[in-house]
Amino acid sequence: MLLDKSIPLTFYVREIRREALFVFLFANLVVLIKLYFSLWTLTIPVAIPTLLGTCISLLLAFRTNQAYDRWWEARIVWGAIVNDSRSFIRQLQMFLGDETPDRQAVIQSFVMRQCAWCYVLGDSLREQGVNERLHQFLSPADAERIAQSDNKPNALLTEHGMAIRQLYDAKLLTDFQMNHLSTTLNSLTDSMGRCERIKRTIFPQTYTFNMRVFIYLFAAILPFCFEAAIYFLDVPLVTVIASAFILIEKSALQLQNPFNNKPTDTPVTTIARSIEITLKTITGFHSIPPPLPAEPYYAL
């Protein structure tokens, strides 16, 4: 997630350098042809790119809005994960009485499994390896068993459920308490499913293709709209205007995929560390990890 800090110009240039270079070279080619072959009469009325630019602006506004909705939904889902994680552990602290054998160890085992779930969910959404996370929070046997699952976050929630069932069978939880814990697990499952839906639902590629065709058509027409007297403005203006449209389109493309391990991502790892700190603090862990340091202008 981009932070409220100064974003280096290289971040923007890196995103559009190829497209901007292509537009720059094409504009130079048009100007050189018009200059050396005296084809300044080959001029297109400026009303045509103006109309096309207006249409592109409307389409980009719609595209950016839809992309931001996907990004914002992902952020809302991870906000719900924070709340449900806290609620889940707090419920266990309230429901498990002092007569529970090894009460502190039982609660802390749930904490470690919940922390593992948060990290593993985020890494899975980013298509990164999760075995190291599993071994960090779980016993070797549990980590190996979860690692063999196709859906590792779901397997961790299943482990939660089985552990709760064991407490219920041991008469350490009442029907009412088990129902509340199951409801919280269902909320976590719902959040996981929403994240997976965002990840797997592809934004229509035809829309992206059409948008780029319109932008490049606009960039191709614009060099023919300048008069001979101001030919020195042709190349820089065409490059800057076209690059602005391309940058907006690229920004929307990044926002619509909030789990791609890029600076514009939803900061799932940072959120998972925040959850870990909170849960370990309220359950008496001696070793509390520090918050993840942010990069110069973004957090992941």
Side-chain angles (χ1 to χ4, degrees), residues 168-179:
Y168 177 76
D169 290 342
K171 307 300 182 183
L172 298 174
L173 293 174
T174 65
D175 292 342
F176 174 80
Q177 292 167 344
M178 184 176 181
N179 181 63

Side-chain angles (χ1 to χ4, degrees), residues 50 64 111 125 131 151 184 187-188 192 194 209 263 266 290 292:
T50 300
T64 304
V111 169
L125 292 170
N131 288 341
N151 191 324
T184 306
S187 295
L188 291 170
M192 178 179 65
R194 292 175 67 184
F209 175 78
T266 301
L292 282 179

